[in-house]
Amino acid sequence: MWKDHAEETLDTCDFIHVHPDVLARVKAALPEEDLLYDLSDLFRIFADSTRIRILYVLFESEMCVCDIAQVLGMTQSAISHQLRALKSAKLVKSRREGKTVFYALADGHVRTIINQGLEHIAE
Amino acid sequence: MWKDHAEETLDTCDFIHVHPDVLARVKAALPEEDLLYDLSDLFRIFADSTRIRILYVLFESEMCVCDIAQVLGMTQSAISHQLRALKSAKLVKSRREGKTVFYALADGHVRTIINQGLEHIAE
DNA sequence: ATAATATATGAATACATGTTCATATGAAAG
DNA sequence: CTTTCATATGAACATGTATTCATATATTAT
């Protein structure tokens, strides 16, 4: 018996283990979906070692695309693609000077986020 | 003439735009490759909205797998797979109590990193 | 033992993503 | 205007990854 609710409990346990009020509080605390996607999109930018290396380079100095490519030993195209990702995430900004385009960090959040990541790795 | 160095400048511009000492400083400041990979691996964990949602749930309370699955409206298997990723990154810890396994945040870095991400998005 | 339940896991699939290659754009010089 | 150089971009390819499905493991109860 009691099989009538088999469908809606297909993927959940038979009873809730935490107190119902906790469950309600947890659900209420969840941010909107849009914000969650924006957050994961932002962290996805940091989830690539090439982009991390570019950010580290820009920690030291603003630099043009081909200099970054040379320092990192990669093609201009690859760097340019990644700089676009970094710029659309507003982590870097660009400034044109004749034929060359200089990139620089957009703000201080980049350093803070990376430093927190380092602290976590160091344990 | 001067075509003999064409190969080594294949993907770089004809001259360096930043001062040579800056270039040397930038190269010296680059962390070791291992660390860069560890960093990007860590941020890759945050680069998925499901994992972010799990972390948000654990901000409020420790919780068992199937309760998390129910709160987030996902299957137990999907949550379990993601919890494994979160645990191997040492972002969550688990505690067994009979048949159920409770997950909780491992340390405070999670909150700090996510909060910094939020600040950046808010601009 | 066997059954029931919570969680973990391996394989498969569908989708996302980083790099390369070729080429286009934009700016300065001849 | 044409050429040259720095950068940007689209398509293609290879690799990575999140979810699903089926099943295995672990713990408790019967």
Side-chain angles (χ1 to χ4, degrees), chain A residues 13 16-18 25 29 36 43-44 47 53 60 64 66-67 70 89-90 100 107 112-113 116 120 123, chain B residues 13 16-18 25 29 36 43-44 47 53 60 64 66-67 70 89-90 100 107 112-113 116 120 123:
Chain A
C13 44
I16 307 300
H17 296 91
V18 297
R25 179 160 50 83
L36 294 167
F43 287 121
R44 185 171 295 110
R53 291 202 298 163
E60 297 298 317
C64 71
C66 82
D67 281 356
Q70 181 172 333
K90 299 186 178 176
T100 75
D107 59 50
T112 313
I113 290 176
Q116 281 297 316
H120 179 80
E123 238 103 334
Chain B
C13 43
I16 308 298
H17 295 91
V18 297
R25 178 159 51 83
L36 294 167
F43 287 121
R44 186 170 294 110
R53 289 202 299 161
E60 297 298 317
C64 71
C66 82
D67 280 356
Q70 181 172 333
K90 299 187 178 175
T100 75
D107 59 51
T112 313
I113 290 177
Q116 280 298 315
H120 179 80
E123 238 104 329

Side-chain angles (χ1 to χ4, degrees), chain B residues 14-29:
Chain B
D14 282 359
F15 61 98
I16 308 298
H17 295 91
V18 297
H19 298 293
D21 59 316
V22 174
L23 214 71
R25 178 159 51 83
V26 167
K27 279 181 179 172

Side-chain angles (χ1 to χ4, degrees), chain A residues 9 56 74 79 92 94 96 100 109-110 114-115 121:
Chain A
T9 58
Y56 262 106
M74 298 182 63
I79 299 299
V92 306
S94 66
R96 179 144 223 151
T100 75
H109 291 128
V110 184
I114 286 187
N115 283 337
I121 288 176

Side-chain angles (χ1 to χ4, degrees), chain B residues 33-95:
Chain B
E33 278 211 4
D34 292 350
L35 183 62
L36 294 167
Y37 278 108
D38 288 348
L39 254 186
S40 50
D41 283 348
L42 172 63
F43 287 121
R44 186 170 294 110
I45 303 295
F46 291 91
D48 177 77
S49 63
T50 296
R51 286 191 290 268
I52 295 267
R53 289 202 299 161
I54 292 177
L55 293 175
Y56 261 105
V57 164
L58 299 182
F59 280 177
E60 297 298 317
S61 166
E62 75 166 5
M63 209 169 293
C64 71
V65 180
C66 82
D67 280 356
I68 299 174
Q70 181 172 333
V71 169
L72 300 186
M74 298 182 61
T75 67
Q76 174 270 324
S77 179
I79 299 300
S80 184
H81 278 295
Q82 300 298 8
L83 282 170
R84 179 163 62 156
L86 288 165
K87 189 173 182 182
S88 79
K90 299 187 178 175
L91 296 178
V92 306
K93 58 188 175 186
S94 67
R95 157 179 88 79

